[in-house]
Amino acid sequence: RSGLGVGSREYANLAFGLSWKYSGLLRIDYSFQYPLSGISDFYGSHRMSVDMKFGAQGIEEITLEERIQQLETLLAKARLTSEEETMRLEEEKKKLQNELTKKDMKKYWDLGILFYRQGKYNDSIPQFEKILSLDPKHEKAQKLIKKVKEAKKKKMKKYWDKAMEYYRAKQYEKCIPQFDAILKLEPQHEQSKRLRGRIEDIIKKSKMKKLWQSGVFYYKQGNYAKAVAQFEKILKIEPAHAQSKE
C-alpha cells in the first residue's frame, strides 16, 4: 500500500508500507514515510509494529459458540412442536460445529508448526494431539507428531554426543549445559540426570582439591589470612569438611 499527502505550508509527504499476517496469530506492519517538501534535513522515517494474538478465543469463535448454544435452546423447544423446524435447526447446528472444529484444528496446526520451527518440541506435540482428538484419522497431524519426535530425538543425541566429547576430554564444566539441554527436552532422561550428578560431584571435588592445595601453600608460606580464605571457600562448598575446620 502507498499514499501521497499534500497540505498547507508546502507540505508534501510520500508513504508506503506492507503487512504480513500469519494465520491470525501474528501480524507485522511496516511503513516508510518520506517528506517531499516542507521539512528540511530529514530523510524519512521507518515504522514497524508487531501484533500477536494469544489468550482467549477471538470474537468470531465466541460468536459461533454462542450461536450453537442458542440453537440448542431452540431445538429443545422445536422438538416439542415441529419436526421440520427441528431438522433445520439440527442441520444448522451441525454446520456451525463443523466450522468451529475446522477453525480450532487450523489454530492448533499453526501453533504446532510454529513451536516446531522454534525447536519447542514439547509444546508442539500437544497441538497436533488436540487435532487428533477432534479427528483421529488426521494423517498430517500423525505424520507431524512422528516428525517432531524424530527431530527431538536427533537434537537430544547431538547434545549427548557433545557432552560425551567434553567428558572424555575431562572438560567437565562444559558437560553440564549439554545435559541441561537434554533435560529441557526430556525432563525424565535418567542417563543425563545420573551422569550430570556424577559430573557435578567431580567438579565439586576438583574445586575443593585446588582450594585445599592453595590453602596449604599459603599456610606454609606463613600467609595465614589467605590460607584461611581458601579453607573457608571449601567449607562453603562442603560445610562438613573436617580438615578445613581444623
Side-chain angles (χ1 to χ4, degrees):
R1 57 184 179 268
S2 61
L4 175 65
V6 180
S8 60
R9 297 185 181 180
E10 300 182 347
Y11 166 80
N13 183 71
L14 178 65
F16 70 88
L18 53 88
S19 179
W20 178 77
K21 187 176 181 181
Y22 181 77
S23 185
L25 299 172
L26 177 69
R27 191 180 77 183
I28 299 174
D29 294 302
Y30 166 79
S31 68
F32 175 71
Q33 297 186 9
Y34 183 77
L36 299 175
S37 63
I39 303 177
S40 60
D41 299 325
F42 185 67
Y43 300 98
S45 64
H46 300 270
R47 296 181 183 180
M48 179 177 286
S49 66
V50 178
D51 295 318
M52 179 169 280
K53 172 187 171 185
F54 43 129
Q57 292 172 298
I59 295 173
E60 188 177 359
E61 287 85 351
I62 291 173
T63 302
L64 283 172
E65 288 184 338
E66 288 179 344
R67 178 56 183 161
I68 290 169
Q69 289 176 355
Q70 290 174 358
L71 288 170
E72 288 174 349
T73 303
L74 293 171
L75 274 166
K77 295 178 181 178
R79 289 189 183 102
L80 300 174
T81 57
S82 172
E83 184 177 344
E84 184 178 342
E85 180 66 5
T86 298
M87 291 177 63
R88 187 190 69 79
L89 291 172
E90 284 180 344
E91 186 66 28
E92 184 182 350
K93 179 185 173 183
K94 183 179 179 181
K95 183 179 178 181
L96 291 177
Q97 285 177 328
N98 288 338
E99 187 178 342
L100 187 59
T101 297
K102 286 178 182 178
K103 286 181 179 293
D104 284 341
M105 288 172 67
K106 187 177 188 308
K107 179 174 64 179
Y108 299 144
W109 177 269
D110 291 339
L111 282 171
I113 294 295
L114 181 63
F115 289 139
Y116 169 65
R117 289 174 177 169
Q118 292 175 342
K120 298 178 180 179
Y121 306 122
N122 293 336
D123 293 324
S124 177
I125 291 173
Q127 302 304 318
F128 298 121
E129 288 175 341
K130 287 177 184 178
I131 294 174
L132 291 175
S133 70
L134 296 171
D135 181 5
K137 295 181 179 180
H138 197 283
E139 291 186 8
K140 287 186 178 180
Q142 292 173 348
K143 288 179 180 178
L144 256 297
I145 288 175
K146 185 177 180 181
K147 185 175 181 180
V148 172
K149 287 181 177 179
E150 288 174 352
K152 175 181 171 180
K153 187 176 180 181
K154 185 177 180 181
K155 185 164 279 191
M156 286 174 64
K157 185 179 185 303
K158 179 183 175 182
Y159 291 134
W160 178 267
D161 291 343
K162 198 67 180 176
M164 292 300 99
E165 181 184 327
Y166 288 135
Y167 182 77
R168 286 189 289 269
K170 296 185 178 180
Q171 295 177 294
Y172 300 119
E173 290 188 1
K174 289 185 178 181
C175 291
I176 299 297
Q178 305 302 316
F179 290 124
D180 287 343
I182 293 172
L183 291 169
K184 187 177 180 180
L185 291 169
E186 186 57 67
Q188 301 306 318
H189 194 264
E190 292 299 328
Q191 284 179 299
S192 295
K193 288 198 288 186
R194 186 166 55 250
L195 197 50
R196 189 188 188 284
R198 189 186 305 169
I199 289 171
E200 278 189 326
D201 192 50
I202 292 172
I203 292 171
K204 175 182 171 181
K205 288 179 179 178
S206 176
K207 285 181 178 178
M208 288 174 64
K209 182 179 180 181
K210 288 178 182 178
L211 289 168
W212 175 260
Q213 290 173 341
S214 180
V216 170
F217 173 78
Y218 287 131
Y219 176 78
K220 289 180 178 179
Q221 295 292 318
N223 195 336
Y224 303 120
K226 285 190 175 182
V228 169
Q230 302 306 303
F231 297 137
E232 286 177 342
K233 288 179 182 178
I234 293 174
L235 291 171
K236 285 183 179 179
I237 298 173
E238 182 56 72
H241 193 263
Q243 289 174 300
S244 297
K245 290 180 178 180
E246 294 175 2

